[in-house]
Amino acid sequence: MSAPDTVTLAAGCKVNLHLRLTGRLDNGYHSLESLFVPLAAPTDTLTLTFGPQGGPFALTCSDPALEGKANTVARAWRAFCAATGLAPALAVRLDKGVPTGAGLGGGSADAALVLRELNARAGARALAPAALARLGASIGADVPFFLGRGPAWAEGIGDALAPVELALAGLALVVLCPPEQVGTAWAYAAWDAAHPGGADPHCSLTWTKERFKSSPCSLPPLYNSFEEVVFPAHPNLRRYKEKLLLDGACGAVMSGSGASVLGLFRDALQAENCARGFREASVRAFVHCF
């Protein structure tokens, strides 16, 4: 590693336009099929200051509650050091823009960014892409996706990824980040309790990566298995979805295990007007035009 230096990087997020839970595994994880789409906003900002080998790791965050050893950034540094034998001093300042408990994968994006930067500085000890992805999966199922660059169809626990090209040109996406938070562990437990058989029976359309070989591909149905258990516990999220549709969205769905909700619009101006209305009601709203 080089002499001490500082770099500031932006970590975006992702949305799930389709998420179907297909089974519960013996190790406690769940198998799924999902369509991941990366977004540049909302964004976390990470300022990384590197020092010499053998130095300490330190993390400060705009949300002090996230500064512990369980933070994905801290886990990424420890995992990379263990895998490569390198131990560069690293001080991280994390300024959160991606809300926690929103289903947008902010923590996984942060971990992926740190892994990528560490690997770029590792010289001869740098990990091959497949090895880096496996390391990322040990931190979080979504981390391998953020090590890539574009939309992907995900299977397995979300780590079996196939890049896809989507026919999204001309569409606008409104992403709502309400003040509510939905715990991922709670959402999975609630879904398990509602589905003793371990699979979602309500979405009969089966999409696999084979469906994406013709490029570009149309979208699978906007669907999220978690809505069944999250909406009764958080009725405002159902109302946000309904409002997106009333405001002209051609489709709306919750992302991840919640609490973010998104709507696809065919008209960018209509999307901007919808987002403005939510902001006036104190709900954070972002617009992404494809």
Side-chain angles (χ1 to χ4, degrees):
M1 294 287 178
S2 60
D5 65 282
T6 298
V7 60
T8 298
L9 302 169
C13 61
K14 60 85 183 164
V15 292
N16 306 80
L17 296 185
H18 179 89
L19 194 167
R20 178 175 179 253
L21 297 176
T22 57
R24 186 168 56 250
L25 307 178
D26 292 339
N27 61 6
Y29 282 90
H30 292 70
S31 59
L32 55 83
E33 56 186 27
S34 188
L35 178 59
F36 291 163
V37 178
L39 297 179
T43 303
D44 287 348
T45 302
L46 291 91
T47 302
L48 311 179
T49 300
F50 289 89
Q53 284 295 324
F57 174 87
L59 171 66
T60 58
C61 182
S62 56
D63 180 355
L66 301 178
E67 293 179 351
K69 293 182 178 180
N71 188 287
T72 56
V73 169
R75 292 167 58 202
W77 182 83
R78 293 197 303 268
F80 188 84
C81 292
T84 63
L86 297 170
L90 179 59
V92 179
R93 169 64 188 181
L94 171 59
D95 291 298
K96 290 292 294 179
V98 181
T100 57
L104 297 176
S108 294
D110 297 340
L113 185 149
V114 170
L115 286 176
R116 190 184 295 119
E117 186 66 18
L118 286 167
N119 207 44
R121 295 165 175 263
R125 297 196 194 181
L127 300 176
L132 191 65
R134 287 193 297 271
L135 186 65
S138 72
I139 300 166
D142 289 346
V143 176
F145 168 71
F146 286 107
L147 290 170
R149 298 294 183 182
W153 181 255
E155 295 179 349
I157 61 171
D159 59 342
L161 301 168
V164 299
E165 184 176 348
L166 300 172
L168 295 175
L171 295 178
L173 184 69
V174 174
V175 181
L176 304 180
C177 298
E180 291 89 345
Q181 292 188 5
V182 178
T184 300
W186 172 88
Y188 274 106
W191 190 86
D192 285 344
H195 299 87
D200 185 344
H202 300 304
C203 185
S204 60
L205 289 175
T206 300
W207 280 70
T208 69
K209 60 186 177 183
E210 302 300 318
R211 299 289 294 271
F212 290 102
K213 284 188 174 179
S214 297
S215 179
C217 181
S218 59
L219 288 171
L222 299 188
Y223 181 80
N224 189 322
S225 292
F226 285 113
E227 289 183 0
E228 177 187 355
V229 294
V230 172
F231 281 175
H234 299 272
N236 272 345
L237 304 186
R238 183 193 300 275
R239 286 191 280 269
Y240 295 150
K241 177 178 177 177
E242 293 169 348
K243 183 65 164 60
L244 286 166
L245 294 170
L246 287 173
D247 284 353
C250 56
V253 71
M254 189 175 73
S255 183
S257 56
S260 62
V261 183
L262 54 98
L264 271 175
F265 288 76
R266 301 189 188 280
D267 183 277
L269 180 58
Q270 203 170 30
E272 291 286 357
N273 289 336
C274 172
R276 184 180 305 111
F278 276 102
R279 292 177 193 129
E280 291 172 353
S282 299
V283 176
R284 293 176 68 192
F286 301 84
V287 179
H288 181 86
C289 295
F290 295 100

